[in-house]
Short mmCIF file of all heavy atoms in Angstrom, two decimals:
data_model
loop_
_atom_site.label_atom_id
_atom_site.label_comp_id
_atom_site.label_asym_id
_atom_site.label_seq_id
_atom_site.Cartn_x
_atom_site.Cartn_y
_atom_site.Cartn_z
N LEU A 6 39.08 155.78 101.60
CA LEU A 6 39.15 157.24 101.73
C LEU A 6 37.85 157.91 102.14
O LEU A 6 37.79 159.14 102.28
CB LEU A 6 39.75 157.86 100.52
CG LEU A 6 41.11 157.37 100.07
CD1 LEU A 6 41.62 158.15 98.85
CD2 LEU A 6 42.07 157.45 101.28
N PRO A 9 31.48 159.83 99.09
CA PRO A 9 30.92 161.18 98.90
C PRO A 9 29.67 161.35 99.77
O PRO A 9 28.97 160.31 100.10
CB PRO A 9 30.65 161.24 97.44
CG PRO A 9 30.46 159.86 97.02
CD PRO A 9 31.35 159.01 97.84
N VAL A 33 37.27 161.95 91.72
CA VAL A 33 36.62 162.98 92.51
C VAL A 33 37.08 162.82 94.04
O VAL A 33 37.43 163.69 94.72
CB VAL A 33 35.02 162.93 92.39
CG1 VAL A 33 34.46 163.82 93.56
CG2 VAL A 33 34.64 163.39 91.01
N ARG A 45 39.14 168.95 110.51
CA ARG A 45 39.88 170.11 110.07
C ARG A 45 39.55 171.27 110.86
O ARG A 45 40.37 172.14 111.15
CB ARG A 45 39.50 170.29 108.58
CG ARG A 45 40.42 171.34 107.90
CD ARG A 45 39.76 172.66 107.65
NE ARG A 45 38.41 172.68 107.29
CZ ARG A 45 37.98 172.67 106.02
NH1 ARG A 45 38.85 172.73 105.08
NH2 ARG A 45 36.64 172.68 105.66
N LEU A 47 38.56 171.54 114.04
CA LEU A 47 39.15 171.45 115.40
C LEU A 47 40.69 171.63 115.23
O LEU A 47 41.37 172.33 116.14
CB LEU A 47 38.90 170.10 116.01
CG LEU A 47 37.53 169.88 116.71
CD1 LEU A 47 37.46 168.48 117.30
CD2 LEU A 47 37.30 170.91 117.77
N LEU A 52 45.35 174.69 116.53
CA LEU A 52 46.67 175.15 116.08
C LEU A 52 46.73 176.72 116.28
O LEU A 52 47.85 177.18 116.56
CB LEU A 52 46.84 174.79 114.71
CG LEU A 52 48.22 175.28 113.98
CD1 LEU A 52 49.34 174.65 114.75
CD2 LEU A 52 48.21 174.93 112.51
N PHE A 95 63.31 189.35 109.36
CA PHE A 95 64.14 190.15 110.25
C PHE A 95 65.38 190.67 109.58
O PHE A 95 66.13 191.55 110.04
CB PHE A 95 64.35 189.54 111.61
CG PHE A 95 63.18 189.21 112.39
CD1 PHE A 95 63.15 188.08 113.24
CD2 PHE A 95 62.09 189.97 112.27
CE1 PHE A 95 62.06 187.77 113.94
CE2 PHE A 95 60.97 189.69 113.04
CZ PHE A 95 60.87 188.60 113.85
N ASP A 101 65.00 195.57 117.84
CA ASP A 101 64.05 195.09 118.84
C ASP A 101 62.62 195.51 118.60
O ASP A 101 61.73 194.84 118.86
CB ASP A 101 64.48 195.67 120.23
CG ASP A 101 65.63 194.88 120.81
OD1 ASP A 101 65.97 193.77 120.34
OD2 ASP A 101 66.12 195.41 121.91
N PHE A 126 36.07 185.18 105.33
CA PHE A 126 36.31 185.89 104.11
C PHE A 126 36.76 184.98 102.96
O PHE A 126 37.29 185.48 101.96
CB PHE A 126 37.27 187.05 104.37
CG PHE A 126 36.90 187.99 105.36
CD1 PHE A 126 37.30 187.92 106.70
CD2 PHE A 126 35.98 189.04 105.09
CE1 PHE A 126 36.77 188.82 107.59
CE2 PHE A 126 35.57 190.00 105.97
CZ PHE A 126 35.99 189.97 107.23
N SER A 147 64.53 181.21 112.88
CA SER A 147 65.84 181.46 112.26
C SER A 147 66.72 182.29 113.02
O SER A 147 67.97 182.17 112.97
CB SER A 147 65.54 182.13 110.93
OG SER A 147 64.83 181.20 109.98
N LEU A 167 51.53 173.06 106.67
CA LEU A 167 50.46 172.28 106.18
C LEU A 167 49.12 173.02 106.33
O LEU A 167 48.16 172.97 105.50
CB LEU A 167 50.40 170.91 106.84
CG LEU A 167 51.59 170.09 106.59
CD1 LEU A 167 51.42 168.72 107.40
CD2 LEU A 167 51.77 169.68 105.13
N LEU A 214 61.25 155.65 133.78
CA LEU A 214 60.29 156.50 134.50
C LEU A 214 60.53 156.45 136.10
O LEU A 214 59.87 157.11 136.73
CB LEU A 214 58.87 156.09 134.20
CG LEU A 214 58.47 156.48 132.65
CD1 LEU A 214 56.99 156.33 132.50
CD2 LEU A 214 58.89 157.87 132.29
N PHE A 245 53.31 151.03 128.03
CA PHE A 245 52.33 151.73 127.33
C PHE A 245 52.96 152.76 126.28
O PHE A 245 52.53 152.91 125.15
CB PHE A 245 51.39 152.46 128.28
CG PHE A 245 50.34 153.28 127.65
CD1 PHE A 245 49.32 152.65 126.84
CD2 PHE A 245 50.23 154.67 127.59
CE1 PHE A 245 48.29 153.33 126.27
CE2 PHE A 245 49.26 155.39 127.11
CZ PHE A 245 48.26 154.73 126.37
N GLN A 250 53.90 154.30 120.75
CA GLN A 250 54.88 154.96 119.79
C GLN A 250 55.42 154.02 118.74
O GLN A 250 55.80 154.34 117.63
CB GLN A 250 56.04 155.53 120.61
CG GLN A 250 55.53 156.68 121.45
CD GLN A 250 56.78 157.39 122.17
OE1 GLN A 250 57.82 156.77 122.36
NE2 GLN A 250 56.58 158.64 122.59
N ASP A 301 33.93 162.64 110.81
CA ASP A 301 32.75 163.38 111.38
C ASP A 301 31.77 162.63 112.28
O ASP A 301 31.35 163.17 113.22
CB ASP A 301 32.01 164.07 110.21
CG ASP A 301 32.75 165.12 109.52
OD1 ASP A 301 33.82 165.59 110.13
OD2 ASP A 301 32.34 165.62 108.48
N THR A 371 68.31 161.37 132.23
CA THR A 371 69.22 161.64 133.38
C THR A 371 68.79 160.99 134.61
O THR A 371 67.62 160.95 134.95
CB THR A 371 69.43 163.21 133.56
OG1 THR A 371 68.17 163.82 133.78
CG2 THR A 371 70.05 163.82 132.29
N GLN A 380 74.24 183.66 142.01
CA GLN A 380 74.27 184.64 143.09
C GLN A 380 75.14 185.84 142.78
O GLN A 380 76.07 185.71 141.91
CB GLN A 380 74.89 183.97 144.38
CG GLN A 380 74.02 182.75 144.82
CD GLN A 380 74.76 182.05 146.00
OE1 GLN A 380 75.99 182.15 146.22
NE2 GLN A 380 74.00 181.19 146.70
N GLU A 389 84.66 184.88 151.67
CA GLU A 389 83.77 184.10 152.53
C GLU A 389 82.79 185.09 153.33
O GLU A 389 81.83 184.69 153.73
CB GLU A 389 84.56 183.12 153.47
CG GLU A 389 85.50 183.94 154.36
CD GLU A 389 86.20 182.84 155.25
OE1 GLU A 389 85.65 181.80 155.56
OE2 GLU A 389 87.29 183.19 155.70
N ALA A 391 81.56 187.87 152.09
CA ALA A 391 80.67 188.64 151.27
C ALA A 391 79.17 188.34 151.38
O ALA A 391 78.86 187.11 151.79
CB ALA A 391 81.05 188.45 149.69
N GLY A 403 65.03 176.13 142.62
CA GLY A 403 65.45 177.22 143.53
C GLY A 403 65.23 176.80 144.94
O GLY A 403 65.79 175.81 145.47
N SER A 429 76.67 170.01 132.26
CA SER A 429 78.08 170.00 131.92
C SER A 429 78.73 171.28 132.48
O SER A 429 78.08 172.19 132.85
CB SER A 429 78.25 170.02 130.34
OG SER A 429 77.53 171.09 129.74
N ILE A 471 76.45 178.44 141.81
CA ILE A 471 76.68 177.23 142.62
C ILE A 471 76.08 176.09 141.98
O ILE A 471 74.83 176.17 141.48
CB ILE A 471 76.15 177.49 144.10
CG1 ILE A 471 76.76 178.82 144.62
CG2 ILE A 471 76.52 176.36 144.98
CD1 ILE A 471 78.30 178.84 144.71
N ARG A 488 58.89 170.93 152.44
CA ARG A 488 59.87 170.97 151.33
C ARG A 488 59.49 170.00 150.28
O ARG A 488 59.15 168.86 150.48
CB ARG A 488 61.28 170.62 151.83
CG ARG A 488 61.88 171.63 152.77
CD ARG A 488 63.31 171.15 153.16
NE ARG A 488 63.29 169.80 153.80
CZ ARG A 488 64.44 169.13 154.14
NH1 ARG A 488 65.55 169.62 153.86
NH2 ARG A 488 64.23 167.91 154.72
N TYR A 498 79.90 176.20 140.28
CA TYR A 498 79.74 175.92 138.85
C TYR A 498 80.51 177.01 138.06
O TYR A 498 81.14 176.67 137.10
CB TYR A 498 78.21 176.04 138.43
CG TYR A 498 77.89 175.89 136.97
CD1 TYR A 498 77.96 174.54 136.45
CD2 TYR A 498 77.76 176.85 136.12
CE1 TYR A 498 77.69 174.29 135.10
CE2 TYR A 498 77.46 176.67 134.81
CZ TYR A 498 77.42 175.34 134.26
OH TYR A 498 77.12 175.21 132.96
N GLU A 506 85.66 197.28 134.03
CA GLU A 506 85.22 198.52 134.59
C GLU A 506 84.47 199.41 133.54
O GLU A 506 83.45 200.06 133.78
CB GLU A 506 86.39 199.25 135.06
CG GLU A 506 87.04 198.66 136.26
CD GLU A 506 86.10 198.57 137.46
OE1 GLU A 506 85.31 199.46 137.66
OE2 GLU A 506 86.10 197.57 138.09
N GLY A 513 81.40 189.98 124.59
CA GLY A 513 81.62 188.46 124.53
C GLY A 513 82.30 187.92 125.79
O GLY A 513 82.32 188.63 126.75
#
Side-chain angles (χ1 to χ4, degrees):
L6 301 185
V33 171
R45 191 263 310 274
L47 282 180
L52 179 59
F95 297 148
D101 282 352
F126 301 96
S147 293
L167 296 179
L214 293 188
F245 180 64
Q250 296 184 335
D301 288 350
T371 54
Q380 301 174 342
E389 58 180 335
S429 58
I471 308 299
R488 292 182 302 173
Y498 181 78
E506 292 301 324

